[in-house]
Amino acid sequence: MQNIISRKTICLFFLMVTAFSFAKEEKHEGEGDIKTEIKEYINHHLLDTHDFSLTSYTTDAGEHKYIGFPLPVILWDNGLKVFSSSKFHHGESVAEVNGDYYALYHNKVYKTDAAGTIDLDDHHHPTNVKPIDFSITKNVFTIFLVGLFMFVMFSRMAKKYKTGSMPKGMGRFLEPIILYIRDDIAVPNIGVKKYKRYMPYLLTVFFFIWIINLLGLTPLGVNVTNNIAVTLALALITYFLTTFTANKNYWGHIFWMPGVPTPMKIILAPIELLGTIIKPFSLMIRLYANITAGHIVLMSIIGLMFIFKNWIGSSLSFGLAFALSLLELLVAALQAYIFTMLSALYFGSAVEEHHDDH
Amino acid sequence: MTIPNIVGAGLIVIGAGLGIGKIGGSAMDAIARQPEASGKIQTAMLIAAALIEGIGFAALFAA
Amino acid sequence: MEKLINEFSIGLFFWQLVLFIGLVLLLRKFAWKPILDAVEKREDGIKDALDSAEKAKLEMTNLQADNEKLLKEARAEREAMLKEARDIKNNTIETAKGEAQEQANKIIEQAQAAIESEKKAAMEELKNHVASLSLEIAEKVVRTELSNKGKQLELVETMLAEKTSK
């Protein structure tokens, strides 16, 4: 009972914070150009940051206040440099580490001088030196948290199986999903003989994408899967797993397609080879674009509420935002499903045994 | 974003929309004809739609 | 495309790769393997139980069929035995009857023959006896008759009359 109440409280809290944070964000800019403000807010929301801030507001004195906590910045610039992101003061000041100066410009770290000058070229791109940034940013932190959460949840679920063969607690909800991935994604696409090898990856990638997509819908303001770096990493793992576990039959189909005339084989080989790269590329783009587009549309509609400023428009956009949020919930699971499904499909093609029907 | 880019993006969206719409429609037809195979049809539909979507997005980013 | 490349963050890529691969390896060891093994074990258990139930059912049917067959055989055997016994009985009775008849016929025949011969002997004896008796009687009658003249004559007379009337 206690448990249920606390869960409800947490849900309610999140719901309140969503409305709250948006309201807070927009209130102080009432007189300014609200459209630009919203656009900037959306862009800011989509970007990775070096600190973990839930929301920010401006005091009457014009000072920006942030609710959140700083994260470590790790740079590789002629040696490892580690310092707290609080030194940047949310991009408002220059951080000085051992005589080197760094500044944030559009949430990216640039090497600069003590005054924090950022030189821009004609395309408004900074020309300053960009140190290699291995910082624990908000997204890295979230990835780590999600990983920890998954590890705790699933290892606890695994422990429950030791005492009895029936799932308990969370397992009752998760086991059907695990079985679905095994029976409807892995086995039909990869084959009964070899699916076991890929199960850990498929299960992890499904739950990881799903949880992190759902987290992106919460008002925490974390958007991990709309970073091309994240989806590229995931797609690359799929690509390498496919490439390194592929059998002779797979390579045979790529370089020397059986059953077609020799000139065609020569033409097909580069196309097929390109295809192997396009496959993970489309995986990467799909996840990235779906989540990004979803966030932009959803936030634009929420932003509309503050532009209309009358009860019809606002309530209309509220209803629309609500419907879209539901759709995004579906998309969160659907994208995880599709990523897993297509990965399984590619693995399946890599380990497919030779058959003579074509 | 220049005008040709925007027009191109529009064309891509129209094309991808038509394609996915056709897949969805055909899948509905197939499910209506064979409700017992709806699971398999759904999977195939999603894969086909995902492939089109992937190409669509790739083109959208190129535009 | 340019935007994508601009947005690309090598640090995030690195961390995602490291953390995710670490997560996969950790989960494989501590979660997926035990979970999948447990589920598989359970499924195998269920399958085994179902299989053995099916087997037991099959055995049961087999047993029943066997019983049925045995019963049928026993019944048929009993039937055959009964029939045989009946046949034997009938045969025995038949033979016995025939033999008895024969015996009886024989005895009757013998008896008849004996009777016949006895009768013949008796007849013979009777004949002889009657002849001697009649001779005696005739002698006596003749003696008495012929002791009296008148009577002799009367006799002659009667006899003659008889003869002539004939």
Side-chain angles (χ1 to χ4, degrees), chain A residues 190 197-198 201-202 234-251 254 272 275-277 279-281 283 339-352:
Chain A
I190 302 174
R197 211 154 133 208
Y198 301 103
Y201 174 66
L202 292 176
L234 291 174
L236 263 188
I237 297 171
T238 296
Y239 174 71
F240 282 127
L241 269 178
T242 314
T243 309
F244 290 128
T245 57
N247 57 15
K248 228 168 72 186
N249 188 33
Y250 175 74
W251 294 117
I254 285 171
E272 287 281 329
T276 60
I277 299 162
K279 280 173 184 173
F281 184 77
L283 269 186
F339 195 100
T340 317
M341 181 85 197
L342 289 175
S343 291
L345 205 68
Y346 300 153
F347 297 152
S349 73
V351 296
E352 193 179 17

Side-chain angles (χ1 to χ4, degrees), chain A residues 285-286 288-290 337-338 341, chain B residues 43 46-47 50 53-54 57 61:
Chain A
I285 292 289
R286 178 176 309 110
Y288 164 80
N290 265 297
Y337 168 73
I338 288 196
M341 181 85 197
Chain B
T43 311
L46 281 179
I47 290 173
E53 198 187 43
F57 277 129
F61 280 107

Side-chain angles (χ1 to χ4, degrees), chain A residues 223-235:
Chain A
N223 294 289
V224 179
T225 33
N226 70 0
N227 283 282
I228 199 80
V230 173
T231 57
L232 174 68
L234 291 174

